[in-house]
Amino acid sequence: MMNSLQDWPEPIVRVQSLSESGLPMIPDRYVKPLSDRPSSNRPENGDANIPIIDLTGLTDDEAELSRSTMDRISSACRDWGFFQVVNHGVSPGLMDQARETWRSFFHLPMEIKQAYANSPKTYEGYGSRLGIEKGAILDWSDYYYLHYLPLTLKDYNKWPGSPDYCREVIDEYGKELVKLGGRIMKVLSINLGLNESHLQNAFGGENIGACVRVNFYPKCPQPDLTLGLSSHSDPGGLTILLPDPEVPGLQVRKDDRWITVKPARHAFIVNIGDQIQVLSNANYKSVEHRVIVNSGVERLSLAFFYNPKSDIPIKPVRELVSADKPALYPPMTFDEYRLFIRLNGPKGKSQVESLKSPRCH
């Protein structure tokens, strides 16, 4: 099966190059079916937003959050699968520096970026498509994907060498987000009625996986016909997103409507991935989301994926399984699950739902 992942099925076209060429219409390869277009299902509630939660008091050593804050995180995980966090312990200066460093990378000459072109075998590097289905309809975005943990996969040569200090900034940012991910995992564990380290241990303790995908959404001449990123739930554990502060684009599915997230200043957007849905036996939900694009301005975001060690079987936590609520999912390692996703590309929530044990359908 891995042989089929050696290369892309067709020549890669950089969306940024299409955008900068000034074409008046997008190529057919990017035109979504009518039912998937942003124009066909406009968000109905312009005022709705995902919960914004203040994490003051949550440190590496203490989870000193008020009961009401813990409850708000719990209901966000159960009802939304998404929430924003402020006063999270990561310096605003580092957040801005990371974002602007990556923006500079995407504005380098194409030949410099092409030196980091990726393949579907690991996805590491500079890319423009997800999934390997020949003739698939593509998303209006380019990206850069890299591994941060485990250290055996961390390869500075696959990280951009420019702009200056790029690797140091990525390193420092990754270090801080691993710590933030660990703090949030404690809260999620406590809210499930488990020991604070239970979910972390299920992920492999200190031996977690962590990777970064930087998403670049160029200006699009026909934004109503396409998406920057198709609807999907995140396959990993926890996603911590640094959004573009000026340009909204992330939409979250809630009650069959698409809600456009309005980013709070220097907030991270946190969402539950499929692996935590499995561990929590679906008490917490990984929720479909997508990205819309616009004709006036580019958009850039950094998604940090906090994942289980890739060879540990992930299955519902024993304490959350009962006669009334049997285990909904069979054991599967993250490696196995990720291969499943990479062959298929983003497909709404169908991936994790298709794993459910036959008796639970």
Side-chain angles (χ1 to χ4, degrees), residues 205-275:
E206 298 290 303
N207 300 309
I208 60 152
C211 42
V212 179
R213 191 176 72 225
V214 185
N215 306 297
F216 184 77
Y217 305 102
K219 290 187 282 193
C220 178
Q222 294 178 295
D224 283 351
L225 300 183
T226 191
L227 290 168
L229 192 54
S230 294
S231 173
H232 66 288
S233 63
D234 288 346
L238 200 61
T239 303
I240 305 173
L241 181 82
L242 177 60
D244 194 305
E246 308 298 332
V247 190
L250 174 65
Q251 292 188 325
V252 174
R253 195 175 191 120
K254 172 80 163 134
D255 303 328
D256 276 336
R257 295 186 323 194
W258 288 102
I259 308 290
T260 301
V261 176
K262 302 162 192 70
R265 186 164 167 74
H266 288 124
F268 284 110
I269 297 168
V270 178
N271 65 282
I272 301 294
D274 294 344
Q275 305 302 304

Side-chain angles (χ1 to χ4, degrees), residues 52-56 58 64-76 83 187 191:
I52 300 174
I53 296 169
D54 189 330
L55 294 186
T56 301
L58 181 63
E64 292 292 323
L65 295 176
S66 69
R67 186 67 257 166
S68 66
T69 300
M70 296 290 281
D71 289 346
R72 290 189 67 220
I73 295 171
S74 180
S75 61
F83 53 98
V187 174
N191 274 340

Side-chain angles (χ1 to χ4, degrees), residues 12 50 92 115 119 139 147 152 165 167 178 188 234 261 279 284 304 325 327 330 344:
I12 289 292
I50 61 174
S119 86
D139 290 337
H147 285 289
T152 50
Y165 307 114
R167 289 174 180 160
V178 167
L188 301 190
D234 288 346
V261 176
L279 282 166
Y284 293 165
F304 189 87
K325 191 161 189 191
N344 292 298

Side-chain angles (χ1 to χ4, degrees), residues 159-196:
W159 295 18
S162 49
D164 289 345
Y165 307 114
C166 186
R167 289 174 180 160
E168 291 88 337
V169 171
I170 297 167
D171 229 356
E172 178 67 17
Y173 183 78
K175 189 174 82 181
E176 288 302 315
L177 265 75
V178 167
K179 291 197 289 195
L180 175 59
R183 295 196 290 269
I184 293 169
M185 290 282 280
K186 282 185 195 173
V187 174
L188 301 190
S189 266
I190 294 166
N191 274 340
L192 286 168
L194 304 169
N195 176 291
E196 69 170 32

